[in-house]
């Protein structure tokens, strides 16, 4: 069973960089045909796909967040990391990592996600 666990600070100051790590167990992040994505859900709003990294270390980003988002991985630790720069209070949300399966003709935003972390609350406030 693949398990995902988010970690990182729960409080970030405005203008700083939010950095979260997703640690994966029970499966390798280099296994073919899986996307490893970050989602977030602000209070009172729906879940938003932020970006992904795939088995070949290719990255994909939401157009609305692309200028501020970076996703990378550490295969030796079986982890992938989200960095979101220049945060504002509007970036306050529950951030969740997930594993999605590749499907022909579909990118990571439209993938089917069967494995999810529990999510972590990040608050942007001074």
């Amino acid at each position: 069973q693949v398990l995902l666990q988010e970690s990182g600070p729960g409080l970030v100051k405005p203008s700083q960089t939010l950095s979260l790590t997703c640690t994966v167990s029970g499966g390798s992040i280099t296994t073919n045909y899986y996307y490893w994505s970050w989602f977030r859900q602000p209070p009172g709003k729906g879940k938003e796909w932020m970006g992904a990294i795939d088995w070949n270390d290719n990255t994909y980003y939401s157009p609305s967040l692309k200028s501020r988002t970076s996703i990378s991985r550490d295969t030796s630790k079986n982890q992938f990391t989200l960095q979101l720069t220049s945060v504002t209070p509007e970036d306050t949300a529950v951030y969740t990592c997930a594993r999605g399966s590749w499907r022909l003709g579909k990118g990571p935003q439209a993938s089917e996600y069967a494995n999810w972390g529990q999510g972590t609350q990040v608050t942007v406030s001074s």
Side-chain angles (χ1 to χ4, degrees):
Q1 181 182 4
V2 175
L3 299 176
L4 300 92
Q5 178 66 58
E6 305 88 354
S7 60
L11 180 64
V12 182
K13 295 185 183 301
S15 80
Q16 292 187 342
T17 296
L18 180 162
S19 183
L20 295 174
T21 295
C22 184
T23 300
V24 179
S25 59
S28 171
I29 60 174
T30 61
T31 299
N32 282 351
Y33 308 129
Y34 286 107
Y35 296 113
W36 303 90
S37 282
W38 286 98
F39 292 81
R40 69 178 183 178
Q41 186 165 15
K45 297 184 179 180
K47 187 171 292 183
E48 176 186 25
W49 176 80
M50 301 180 68
I53 190 165
D54 72 13
W55 64 96
N56 269 339
D57 204 21
N58 298 307
T59 53
Y60 312 81
Y61 299 108
S62 168
S64 64
L65 295 171
K66 185 175 183 178
S67 63
R68 299 196 291 131
T69 307
S70 177
I71 297 175
S72 59
R73 68 180 187 177
D74 184 336
T75 56
S76 68
K77 296 180 180 179
N78 214 34
Q79 297 174 333
F80 62 106
T81 299
L82 168 73
Q83 289 195 317
L84 182 67
T85 62
S86 305
V87 297
T88 72
E90 286 65 42
D91 294 308
T92 294
V94 175
Y95 287 76
T96 308
C97 56
R99 184 183 80 161
S101 301
W102 175 86
R103 292 290 183 269
L104 181 65
K106 293 187 176 182
Q109 190 169 0
S111 180
E112 296 177 7
Y113 288 88
N115 303 99
W116 295 82
Q118 65 182 19
T120 186
Q121 173 70 45
V122 177
T123 300
V124 179
S125 175
S126 56

